[in-house]
Amino acid sequence: MTRPRVVLADDHLMVIDGMSSLLRTDFDVVATVENGRELIEAVQRLDPDVVVTDMQMPVLNGIEAAAQLAKLKARAKVIILTMHPDASYAVRAFEAGAAGFVLKHAAYAELAAAIREVLKGRTYLTPMIAKDVLDKIRQKPAHPTGLSLLTSRQREIMQLVAEGRTAKEIASSLNVSPRTVEFHKTCIMDRLHLQNHADLVREAVRYGLIAP
């Protein structure tokens, strides 16, 4: 019987080695990658059944990677793995197209259960924050706020700017002009009512785009 094929994404080598070692007991780990852009390339190349990705990764975070995979109509089910028990992150993950949300300190049995659930076409949410997530959904404002005011490209650029990359570096990475990057940065600052670069970094941390 063919075992489910899994791609793992995490920028911490010890974490990804440990996860890979555990998952190989029940699943076929076909690739491990260190950022969201590598993850998208691996999914397009290998067509796995499931993706298990850390939420906070350099270049492109796990939630934005999930959103891009959804746009590409990738077959893989995406499970977001994070150390942050924040209901707003889980809501964003599911809105982006993720099928599961699991905390990093959960036992391996829970991650394996989550993989099996999403393979059945179901959604998995770690029980620890389930009530908080439901409350957050019920309290959701009628009008867009925070990151929902930005386009996917603007969120991507916001992360890269917060990571300290220059407009020229971002332009090269995204295959656009530096002027386009600066235009998006101006839009980000305006829509989120940010005054300076420090404000942008602080908001990127608050929304989980980069680690504190």
Side-chain angles (χ1 to χ4, degrees):
M1 182 176 177
T2 303
R3 301 199 305 173
R5 303 169 74 249
V6 179
V7 168
L8 300 178
D10 196 300
D11 62 319
H12 295 95
L13 186 59
M14 289 181 65
V15 172
I16 207 164
D17 283 349
M19 266 202 305
S20 179
S21 178
L22 289 170
L23 288 175
R24 289 183 195 280
T25 303
D26 301 293
F27 308 98
D28 185 9
V29 179
V30 296
T32 60
V33 297
E34 297 181 7
N35 65 61
R37 208 168 294 287
E38 290 179 357
L39 172 58
I40 291 170
E41 187 278 329
V43 171
Q44 291 179 303
R45 177 168 49 88
L46 299 169
D47 190 30
D49 301 297
V50 177
V51 165
V52 178
T53 176
D54 187 19
M55 186 182 77
Q56 291 178 328
M57 291 189 296
V59 183
L60 187 69
N61 66 79
I63 292 177
E64 292 304 320
Q68 292 196 20
L69 289 173
K71 287 182 181 179
L72 293 169
K73 300 188 184 304
R75 186 177 64 85
K77 305 292 185 181
V78 178
I79 295 174
I80 300 293
L81 197 63
T82 179
M83 62 185 291
H84 303 289
D86 189 317
S88 62
Y89 293 161
V91 172
R92 280 180 47 217
F94 289 124
E95 288 177 342
F101 191 88
V102 179
L103 297 180
K104 274 190 173 181
H105 62 255
Y108 166 71
E110 183 178 347
L111 178 57
I115 293 174
R116 294 191 179 96
E117 283 295 293
V118 301
L119 284 170
K120 294 174 184 175
R122 300 170 183 164
T123 298
Y124 185 89
L125 171 61
T126 188
M128 184 179 295
I129 61 169
K131 182 181 181 302
D132 292 339
V133 171
L134 289 174
D135 289 344
K136 182 72 69 174
I137 291 172
R138 293 188 185 109
Q139 297 166 5
K140 190 172 181 181
H143 302 291
T145 59
L147 287 187
S148 60
L149 293 168
L150 307 180
T151 66
S152 59
R153 177 47 61 90
Q154 287 166 351
R155 291 192 298 270
E156 191 172 359
I157 288 174
M158 183 177 179
Q159 175 177 343
L160 292 168
V161 170
E163 289 176 351
R165 300 172 191 270
T166 66
K168 186 174 181 180
E169 290 170 339
I170 296 171
S172 177
S173 172
L174 300 181
N175 197 28
V176 297
S177 71
R179 181 172 293 183
T180 297
V181 172
E182 292 292 354
F183 170 76
H184 281 303
K185 182 180 177 182
T186 299
C187 290
I188 292 165
M189 302 288 286
D190 181 59
R191 292 180 184 180
L192 297 184
H193 306 293
L194 308 178
Q195 299 299 315
N196 50 46
H197 181 77
D199 287 347
L200 186 148
V201 173
R202 187 161 47 248
E203 289 299 282
V205 171
R206 184 162 79 92
Y207 290 120
L209 298 182
I210 63 171

